[in-house]
Amino acid sequence: MKTYTIPLKVLIAYNLDVDTCIRFVLPDDQARYTVELDNDLGVKDKQIVATCNGREYLFHPDQPVTYPGRYLRQVWKDWKEHGREAFENWFNNKTEQ
């Protein structure tokens, strides 16, 4: 299946209601990173905190990540309808803590 790149913030917004962890891969990378959405991790210094093999990494919300093409249309539709607002609420709440 063909994969595409989307901003990390779009992937997080699409999964906010159904997951507590978002797993993603950077383009041309084999490491799988995890963003934990329901605890103190999530945002630090206005960047998204992710972990891989016990190490912490910071990613800009617009960081491209890979995503399979099968659900791509639905992901972008969700982003346009309410995903942008959901992400901003999550991001701002995490930033203020």
Side-chain angles (χ1 to χ4, degrees), residues 29-60:
D29 197 357
Q30 299 300 316
R32 295 185 68 79
Y33 299 91
T34 303
V35 176
E36 297 182 42
L37 303 176
D38 283 346
N39 64 14
D40 292 336
L41 293 177
V43 176
K44 179 183 197 179
D45 298 328
K46 296 193 177 189
Q47 293 193 325
I48 295 171
V49 178
T51 58
C52 181
N53 297 326
R55 284 189 63 195
E56 196 174 273
Y57 298 87
L58 299 178
F59 294 97
H60 190 275

Side-chain angles (χ1 to χ4, degrees), residues 12-44:
I12 289 173
Y14 186 67
N15 289 282
L16 278 174
D17 294 335
V18 294
D19 289 324
T20 58
C21 291
I22 304 300
R23 290 174 181 80
F24 65 95
V25 178
L26 302 179
D28 302 322
D29 197 357
Q30 299 300 316
R32 295 185 68 79
Y33 299 91
T34 303
V35 176
E36 297 182 42
L37 303 176
D38 283 346
N39 64 14
D40 292 336
L41 293 177
V43 176
K44 179 183 197 179

Side-chain angles (χ1 to χ4, degrees), residues 6-10 48 59-65 79 84 87:
I6 62 172
L8 178 56
K9 65 185 178 184
V10 174
I48 295 171
F59 294 97
H60 190 275
D62 292 319
Q63 169 68 48
V65 299
W79 176 255
R84 181 186 313 266
F87 176 80

